[in-house]
Amino acid sequence: MMQKKLLPPRVAAIQDLSSVGRCSLTATIPTLSAMGYQVIPLPTALLSTQTWGYDRPYFVDLTGETENMTASFVENGLSFRAIYAGYLASADQAQYVEAFFDAFSTRPDESERLPLLLLDPVLGEDGVFYTTCNHSLADGMKRLARKADVITPNLTEACLLLGEDYRDTSFLTKEQIKPYVEALLLQLQAMGPRRVVITGVPDVSGALSNYGVDETRQLFCVSNQKTKTAYPGTGDLFASVLLGKLLDGASFQSAVAYGASFVAEAARLTEAAGTPAREGVLLELLLPKLFPERNL
Ligand code: PXL
């Protein structure tokens, strides 16, 4: 009989299934599986391709299925070590995801809430909404953020959650950016989540930084060199690696640093390979790096 601690803990992943583009479930499932976790997907939408760089993806909104999937998981007595929610198809779906959080939260005490709830409030980028997102979905994400333990917005999403003005930081220095982003981090933390990271903030030096605040209110920043090409799905890949590391027991700051450098390496490798940006990063080549060392 295998030792119980070696059995892969279950992680629910509430995200879209985009067949092409290495984002959402097609990033989360391989990544967390490589790290030794069993992913239980609850697809929020079905798309032929992700939306960035493709004309008219075929899109099926699965909002109508969310409640029944949840009920079936409850009926079958499932439990989760973590719940990771990302891209949602509609504002109504956010309410069903909130019900999912409630159905599976046990909360023995506040310091070790089970399961760990990670929300990536996918809404937009570069100051604008993704084509399928809008303000009512942002309101739904705000309600979910209040319940989450960890949230991973980019700068656009942080501003949308807070109703603050988005500023393009790419011509500013880190010293100029820091007070703006740190104020956003503290406001987001005051909404409820103990740990917040604002991802992918560019600056004039050509770095891409993740600014975070941990459960002790310690602020930190980790930076990597930005590639010339931007790839879709890197936020999903980052959140997946971050979650795996947190579940492994890493501190928030070290999990953020590891996830950010993993994504930066994936972007560098993909740029060197010259594959189309809209197909995402070549994460398959890097997954072996994530394998845990285990003697079965
Ligand atoms: O990676 C965020 C994301 C998730 N899902 C879909 C997307 C995007 C970003 O464009 O299009 C369908």
Side-chain angles (χ1 to χ4, degrees):
M1 184 75 167
M2 193 178 289
Q3 285 177 54
K4 190 152 186 276
K5 69 175 190 206
L6 293 180
L7 297 177
R10 272 193 293 266
V11 175
I14 308 176
Q15 296 177 316
D16 64 290
L17 175 59
S18 289
S19 298
V20 181
R22 298 185 180 91
C23 70
S24 310
L25 287 176
T26 61
T28 300
I29 296 174
T31 302
L32 280 165
S33 300
M35 296 178 87
Y37 295 91
Q38 185 201 1
V39 179
I40 308 285
L42 200 176
T44 55
L46 173 68
L47 290 90
S48 52
T49 66
Q50 54 85 17
T51 59
W52 183 85
Y54 289 97
D55 289 336
R56 298 195 322 112
Y58 178 65
F59 181 93
V60 182
D61 179 338
L62 297 178
T63 298
E65 314 302 325
T66 317
E67 252 187 319
N68 288 337
M69 288 287 283
T70 307
S72 172
F73 289 167
V74 170
E75 257 173 52
N76 284 291
L78 287 191
S79 61
F80 302 102
R81 181 68 188 82
I83 301 170
Y84 167 16
Y87 178 98
L88 304 182
S90 69
D92 284 348
Q93 196 169 44
Q95 292 180 22
Y96 300 131
V97 173
E98 205 174 339
F100 188 100
F101 281 5
D102 292 341
F104 292 101
S105 288
T106 50
R107 282 171 225 236
D109 68 65
E110 273 305 304
S111 62
E112 238 248 280
R113 176 156 61 176
L114 288 175
L116 188 139
L117 302 181
L118 184 145
L119 176 72
D120 186 10
V122 176
L123 290 167
E125 212 165 351
D126 299 330
V128 291
F129 280 115
Y130 292 130
T131 49
T132 56
C133 302
N134 56 34
H135 282 289
S136 57
L137 178 59
D139 287 341
M141 287 292 190
K142 205 190 286 189
R143 280 196 307 279
L144 291 175
R146 291 200 187 102
K147 293 205 161 157
D149 299 295
V150 181
I151 62 170
T152 60
N154 60 28
L155 192 51
T156 302
E157 292 155 352
C159 291
L160 287 168
L161 290 179
L162 293 168
E164 293 284 344
D165 286 339
Y166 169 81
R167 284 166 61 189
D168 178 2
T169 59
S170 50
F171 298 101
L172 302 176
T173 63
K174 242 182 237 157
E175 290 67 40
Q176 291 170 317
I177 294 169
K178 218 167 155 241
Y180 165 56
V181 174
E182 288 186 351
L184 297 175
L185 282 170
L186 294 174
Q187 280 190 73
L188 288 167
Q189 193 178 44
M191 284 170 60
R194 295 161 64 225
R195 295 159 158 184
V196 182
V197 55
I198 297 181
T199 61
V201 183
D203 65 53
V204 72
S205 78
L208 210 52
S209 299
N210 288 335
Y211 291 81
V213 60
D214 72 9
E215 62 281 13
T216 67
R217 306 193 80 217
Q218 173 105 20
L219 293 153
F220 63 89
C221 170
V222 299
S223 302
N224 288 281
Q225 192 60 29
K226 186 172 181 265
T227 50
K228 283 195 199 72
T229 320
Y231 296 94
T234 48
D236 307 324
L237 181 60
F238 168 76
S240 302
V241 177
L242 170 73
L243 178 57
K245 284 284 163 193
L246 290 176
L247 295 177
D248 288 348
S251 70
F252 189 53
Q253 185 164 343
S254 72
V256 167
Y258 187 91
S261 82
F262 187 84
V263 171
E265 187 179 354
R268 274 197 305 276
L269 181 84
T270 308
E271 195 165 65
T275 49
R278 65 185 190 173
E279 291 177 21
V281 292
L282 304 177
L283 66 100
E284 299 82 3
L285 301 179
L286 287 172
L287 290 178
K289 287 197 154 206
L290 298 173
F291 292 169
E293 281 168 32
R294 276 183 184 150
N295 298 316
L296 298 179

